[in-house]
């Protein structure tokens, strides 16, 4: 399993538009083969910062998402208007929080 997480930042005045567009992309992404979860939450509205968390079965599934037309279009629309610090992690020992 892959975990993708980090922060995205947009101008606070564009936060609502970004969230609406992200929501539409998330709805489609959650239906994709290999997607386990795909979410973002506003972390600091005054700064326009969101926390992004995704889980994917494997690299092939993540790559297919990153190459999908709607993902590419979303990134192209926001290119130059969003900053991101997103990292990818391999998770091979999943267990409950208290385990």
């Amino acid at each position: 399993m892959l975990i993708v997480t980090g922060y995205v930042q947009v101008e606070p005045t564009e936060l609502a538009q970004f969230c609406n567009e992200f929501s539409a992309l998330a709805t489609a992404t959650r239906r994709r083969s290999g997607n386990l979860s795909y979410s973002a939450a506003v972390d600091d509205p005054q700064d326009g910062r969101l926390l992004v968390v995704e889980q994917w079965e494997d690299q092939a599934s993540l790559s297919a998402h990153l190459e999908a037309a709607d993902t590419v279009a979303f990134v192209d629309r926001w290119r130059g208007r969003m900053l991101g610090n997103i990292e990818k992690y391999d998770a091979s020992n999943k267990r409950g929080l208290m385990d």
Side-chain angles (χ1 to χ4, degrees), residues 50-68:
L50 299 96
L51 173 64
V52 175
V53 180
E54 307 172 25
Q55 293 180 4
W56 296 90
E57 286 182 3
D58 52 33
Q59 184 60 51
S61 300
L62 174 58
S63 294
H65 161 67
L66 294 173
E67 295 167 2

Side-chain angles (χ1 to χ4, degrees), residues 13-70:
T13 57
E14 295 187 303
L15 184 59
Q17 179 185 354
F18 182 89
C19 287
N20 286 337
E21 291 185 26
F22 182 90
S23 179
L25 177 63
T27 298
T29 298
R30 290 180 188 122
R31 295 184 189 123
R32 292 195 171 125
S33 176
N35 177 261
L36 304 173
S37 69
Y38 190 86
S39 300
V42 176
D43 179 61
D44 184 346
Q46 293 178 331
D47 203 29
R49 187 173 66 187
L50 299 96
L51 173 64
V52 175
V53 180
E54 307 172 25
Q55 293 180 4
W56 296 90
E57 286 182 3
D58 52 33
Q59 184 60 51
S61 300
L62 174 58
S63 294
H65 161 67
L66 294 173
E67 295 167 2
D70 55 351

